[in-house]
Amino acid sequence: MKVALVGIFPSGAKEMFMELLPAEKFQIEIVDTQEKYDNLTDAEVIILRIFKINKEVIERNKNLKFIQKWGAGFDTIDIEAAGKRNIYVANAPGANAYAVSELAVMHILAVYRNLILQHEAMKKGEWTKNSYTDRSYGILGKTVGLIGCGSIGKGVAKKVQAFGATVQYYDAFRMNELEEKSLDMKYVELDELLKTSDIISLHLPLTEATRNLINKEKIELMKPTAIIINTARGGIINEEDLIEALKNNRILGAGLDCISNEPVQPGDPILEAPNVTLTPHIGGTSADLLVHMVPLMAENIINFEKQQEIKYVVNKEYFTA
Ligand SMILES: NC(=O)c1ccc[n+]([C@@H]2O[C@H](COP(=O)([O-])OP(=O)(O)OC[C@H]3O[C@@H](n4cnc5c(N)ncnc54)[C@H](O)[C@@H]3O)[C@@H](O)[C@H]2O)c1
């Protein structure tokens, strides 16, 4: 079975896939440049990271049967086109939840303690010890509102609870009472969450239903001391509205790992927004992620080859047969 590793993978990933997918069954091809990708026509399985899979790629690879996405987000794949050709698309939710949830907490702390402003000032030899006291906060005693509460949201909940926060969540699928109780989380509707949370953190996919979910009208509901963290996807927040809110001090700040236009270009208005902490979509990017991610994906591919059930299929509803 021909498996194409498409995209840029952390070092060691290729070797780990080769170790876990036996050579007598799987021929692994490395497709790490656009040119190689444009010439790829015979993949049966694609393991995808960073690059995109559109209709054209699907049509070009006539033998393609299975796309395994690295990570949870699958908005870079035309899952409908894949489904209509009976190509399974699976993601790997949960494997990078620890890394993304840690990054979300890093953004909360960075925004709350004005880390970037303090760091930049001190690098210039300025002592800003008392400059930001009135806009510095701790997590202890705050209400954290999670929008989307799957693997990553639950990871954030656990961490901020350890800091002494209370957690409430909004999700398209409410947990049962027992689970809510065991995780010590309260379900609230979206508007209620926005009105009552000190820290709002997004952990849901970008879909047509969630695009611009956080817009001017929703920001208006937030407390003036609220902060918003987006480690999910750019596009879920209407960035123009967020920038305006930050400029007008309508909210305290924002921490963004994901922005609308990635990769960032010089002159992007988000770069001029005040009180914002930015990282270049690194939530699921760390050297130690391999050991969590690769075995889960390799197992799925082995099961697929054995015609056994594969996990985390995200496009079943589009299958024609
Ligand atoms: N920053 C990064 O590098 C990075 C890395 C991994 C994942 N992500 C993003 O984080 C998101 C969450 O990842 P996860 O592993 O927790 O996924 P998950 O599937 O475990 O959880 C997503 C949650 O969102 C909920 N949801 C879906 N649509 C919704 C809607 N319209 N309204 C409310 N809730 C909705 C789902 O019910 C689910 O509980 C991913 O979709 C991905 O976009 C970012």
Side-chain angles (χ1 to χ4, degrees):
M1 178 166 279
K2 179 146 180 192
V3 179
L5 266 182
V6 174
I8 315 293
F9 290 82
S11 57
K14 184 184 77 175
E15 291 75 9
M16 202 183 269
F17 273 120
M18 284 178 163
E19 199 182 307
L20 294 171
L21 299 172
E24 59 274 19
K25 282 193 181 156
F26 301 98
Q27 296 83 54
I28 297 184
E29 183 178 339
I30 309 299
V31 181
D32 53 2
T33 64
Q34 190 61 46
E35 197 187 341
K36 286 186 200 166
Y37 193 30
D38 290 342
N39 290 321
L40 181 72
T41 54
D42 57 354
E44 288 172 80
V45 175
I46 290 182
I47 301 173
L48 184 78
R49 184 168 187 269
I50 298 175
F51 285 23
K52 295 183 177 173
I53 293 191
N54 55 22
K55 217 172 175 176
E56 200 196 323
V57 174
I58 288 167
E59 278 167 10
R60 194 167 69 226
N61 284 273
K62 302 263 182 261
N63 300 329
L64 189 58
K65 298 180 191 84
F66 180 29
I67 299 165
Q68 171 66 62
K69 172 70 176 42
W70 177 286
F74 50 86
D75 46 299
T76 49
I77 303 171
D78 187 337
I79 59 168
E80 183 178 353
K84 285 183 174 162
R85 253 209 44 212
N86 294 334
I87 298 166
Y88 293 106
V89 179
N91 65 349
N96 60 10
Y98 82 93
V100 186
S101 58
E102 283 179 16
L103 191 86
V105 175
M106 185 202 82
H107 272 286
I108 295 172
L109 292 169
V111 177
Y112 252 8
R113 302 305 295 263
N114 302 285
L115 177 72
I116 306 302
L117 294 170
Q118 303 279 27
H119 174 84
E120 290 299 331
M122 194 150 164
K123 294 267 275 190
K124 285 191 249 161
E126 293 167 16
W127 193 247
T128 49
K129 181 175 167 65
N130 295 314
S131 306
Y132 300 108
T133 312
D134 290 346
R135 44 168 299 115
S136 290
Y137 294 89
I139 298 175
L140 177 70
K142 299 297 185 299
T143 298
V144 175
L146 304 170
I147 304 180
C149 197
S151 311
I152 298 172
K154 289 190 181 92
V156 172
K158 224 171 165 181
K159 291 173 180 70
V160 295
Q161 282 164 343
F163 279 85
T166 300
V167 180
Q168 54 188 10
Y169 79 100
Y170 164 75
D171 195 291
F173 299 96
R174 186 175 174 175
M175 290 180 249
N176 65 41
E177 213 177 308
L178 207 67
E179 199 175 356
E180 284 178 1
K181 213 170 169 189
S182 75
L183 296 173
D184 198 12
M185 269 188 240
K186 181 172 97 171
Y187 178 86
V188 285
E189 291 301 333
L190 180 61
D191 285 3
E192 180 66 13
L193 180 142
L194 293 166
K195 282 182 201 164
T196 55
S197 299
D198 301 295
I199 298 162
I200 294 155
S201 197
L202 307 182
H203 304 291
L204 71 176
L206 173 67
T207 63
E208 278 325 300
T210 64
R211 189 175 294 281
N212 290 319
L213 181 73
I214 305 299
N215 55 17
K216 190 176 164 58
E217 185 198 324
K218 297 292 181 201
I219 294 171
E220 280 305 318
L221 301 175
M222 290 162 59
K223 296 182 183 184
T225 50
I227 66 170
I228 185 157
I229 307 299
N230 187 5
T231 58
R233 281 291 182 271
I236 301 176
I237 300 181
N238 180 309
E239 222 155 81
E240 229 176 89
D241 294 350
L242 176 68
I243 293 169
E244 197 190 316
L246 290 167
K247 282 187 175 161
N248 297 332
N249 285 315
R250 177 58 197 80
I251 56 171
L252 186 78
L256 309 176
D257 186 45
C258 303
I259 58 170
S260 294
N261 296 311
E262 297 183 7
V264 74
Q265 298 299 317
D268 189 315
I270 195 65
L271 303 176
E272 297 303 318
N275 304 321
V276 63
T277 303
L278 300 168
T279 49
H281 204 140
I282 55 168
T285 310
S286 70
D288 53 4
L289 199 62
L290 293 185
V291 291
H292 305 280
M293 191 72 83
V294 177
L296 185 143
M297 296 167 73
E299 188 189 338
N300 235 9
I301 292 163
I302 289 167
N303 284 342
F304 175 71
E305 194 273 334
K306 287 186 191 157
Q307 299 191 344
Q308 288 176 358
E309 197 190 336
I310 51 178
K311 288 183 186 159
Y312 317 120
V313 173
V314 295
N315 67 334
K316 277 182 195 149
E317 71 269 31
Y318 297 114
F319 273 55
T320 50

